[in-house]
Amino acid sequence: MVRTIRLQITGMTCAACARASERAVKKLGGVAEAAVNYATERMTVDFDDESLSEAEIGAAIEKAGYGSVPIVDTKETVIPIGGMTCAACAKAVERAVGKLPGAKAEVNFASEKAFVRYDPSASRLSEIKAAIKKAGYEPLAVSDATDRTDAHQDAKEKEIRSLKRRLVLSAAFSAPLLYIAMGPMIGLPLPAAVAMMEFPLRYALLELLLVIPAVIAGRRFYTVGYRAILHGAPNMDSLIAMGTTAAIAYSLYSVFSIATGKPHAVDHLYFETAGVIITLILLGKTLEAVSKGKTSDAIKKLMGLRPKTATVIHDGKELSIPVDEVEPGDVVMVRPGERIPVDGEVLSGSTAVDESMLTGESLPVDKGPGDAVVGASVNKNGSITFKATKVGADTALARIVKLVEDAQGSKAPIAQMADIVSGYFVPAVFVVALLAAGAWLLAGKDAVFALTVFVAVLTIACPCALGLATPTAIMVGTGKGAEQGVLIKSGVALETAHKITAVVFDKTGTLTNGRPELTDVVPAAGFDRSELLSLAASTEKPSEHPLAQAIVGAAEREGITLSAAESFEAVPGRGVRASVGGRRVLIGNRKFLEEEGAASGEAFAAALAEADRLSGVGRTPMLVAADGSFAGLVAVADTVKESSARAVAALKELGLQVAMITGDNRRTAEAVGAELGIDRVLAEVLPQDKAGEVKKLQAEGLTVAMVGDGINDAPALAQADIGIAVGSGTDVAMESADIVLMRSELLDVPTAIKLSQSVIRNIRQNLFWAFGYNVLGIPVAAGILYAFGGPLLNPIFAAAAMSMSSVSVVTNALRLKRFKPY
């Protein structure tokens, strides 16, 4: 059976690392697919669990030189424990918790805290507390539970703090080292006690003492870099380690030469090269880490919306509990200004709820008994109680976060070339560096010149830029889409969307509101509008037909008094008849009124002409007669959404063809199409045939996006190159769609396509810079300019360029945050 697991990969420093860990897992028998996202540091593995275990996958990753931590859907919390007096107490608490299904605790006696990981479907937090209490100890207030997103964020922040400390340490010693080494060349003064020519050994030892702290600050480059070489998967750290080691080793040889009576060897010290390279690389890594942290701002914002506590009504009492302890079926109270903690259904009270954080809709939505509310939305102006229906990972917010995380962790096809290059990049750079150094030696240059070339090539090469080019843009783009209520479910969907040449809309419920509304009331002579609408609505009230309910609803909204309908009768294919206030009322088509003797006079003839006109614009007219006299007509239609015409116009501005598909008759369909500016109308299409119509468009060479409600249009959504489901903020897991629009706003369709185009353009810019930088930078470092009379690149400048290349790629991706929707 094929299973999918997700792993957090540790120890990666560049795209070559991602490629190496991928290769290590793909070599295992039973692995169908393995993909690593370097930006999020996560691996997704599809494998046959009958022939391979998770432990074997973890071992393969470890053998490749990296670490892995399974990402599981468990909860973690910290419970302070009172009453412990020794280590045996801590063990007792661990045993008590460990006896519960799916629960495990690690107790720190010194801090008196239990770190608990548990499966909420197997054990409740209240049961864990009860077990601790039964063991004789006191569970105190629970600390805020942390999910994997928060834990990863904490780890990244810790990493950034560590990088900053190491950068400061390295810079503090590299700056004076650079001054001592380069100052005399430009006339800067040095203390006489360390004058280079007078006291060469003292001068050399001072440089050595200054470079040691810089090397210590950059020790990770050596431990990780050389380990990667030993595992046959060298990475960016390997390049830095080899380059600086070569410079330091040669300088140590010069120090030895000075000590053995060769003072002129002082001219061949390159400690400052190693120290400054380490400092510049640490600077680049720090800036890169900070910038990468900004790419997942959307996830952080979404996670930050979840309230920490909920007010639950239990046995008539209000209890404030952590939101993680809310269970389905609990009755929750929310006061004005508070965030709704979980998804649920309103039991009592009425209010307006701001759901903009999920749907992007700025106007509050009225809520009353029976209405659904979603967690993290804001209760504006009334107190309500509701029954919790979905909690934890099942809430709309959690599902949205998971969709965005999955999208950010997926790879777009455009990244394949960069992935392939990254896999061979570092070994190729080693070869180029050796060949370049060897070539210059053969050309008659000395070892110092060859060393400079060797170090410059190793330090200018940047696999990081290649590895970051695609995932950073995808992370920012999908995050920006989520902020606008546009959920793009994968990197493949994001890339495909920019190729769309035709957009097909389902009509009912997508371009239209999906429910008929009264559009026209045309009274005949002797009747006024209110009288006609009262007669029609009173007659239709007993009917359950959608057209009848549209007439009744309009009359009630206008405050028109309705009378009871007696002797109601529906005549199939004709209309209805009833007695209203003692008057015999008929509503139906022309044939029905003619059969009932109510079709005569100039008013009736004029009404027929008006009925034909209304039919021509997609409306359904109904004729009304009272006591044998023609009273007028009413018309009903499924009205188009306000934004439909603007959405169609926006798509045409993008150069796309727009089509509409519907089961309606051609006359009605073409009327709607003409109203919206749609040129291609596919009418009288049965639901099961919609996918076939999409296939016909694809056969014409069009790349098709199908826009529907994600349920009735599932086959067509699946057939299209891109399926776009229009739904509410609580219905985000439409499996048949590639893109989900969380609000019924059709302008989000061109927004999604425009966003895709912006992201792909950004990725291409990143890839162009990353490839271009390396294609130009490596030959320059190898001395090609020097060969034609130009300068030789100093390794220090090579390191600076390398550091800024990856920072520039991430910074360019962050520009997508300025994306403007329609």
Side-chain angles (χ1 to χ4, degrees), residues 295-370:
T295 63
S296 57
D297 279 349
I299 289 284
K300 296 175 203 168
K301 287 179 183 176
L302 287 172
M303 293 304 300
L305 293 174
R306 189 183 67 165
K308 302 297 183 184
T309 60
T311 302
V312 175
I313 298 176
H314 184 67
D315 293 334
K317 297 179 181 178
E318 295 181 14
L319 301 175
S320 181
I321 64 174
V323 72
D324 298 303
E325 295 190 33
V326 178
E327 301 288 353
D330 285 347
V331 176
V332 183
M333 170 177 278
V334 184
R335 295 181 175 84
E338 294 180 345
R339 285 194 182 274
I340 293 169
V342 296
D343 295 1
E345 181 180 309
V346 178
L347 297 175
S348 64
S350 61
T351 186
V353 176
D354 179 0
E355 297 179 344
S356 59
M357 27 55 73
L358 290 177
T359 66
E361 178 56 59
S362 58
L363 295 177
V365 181
D366 291 333
K367 301 289 183 180

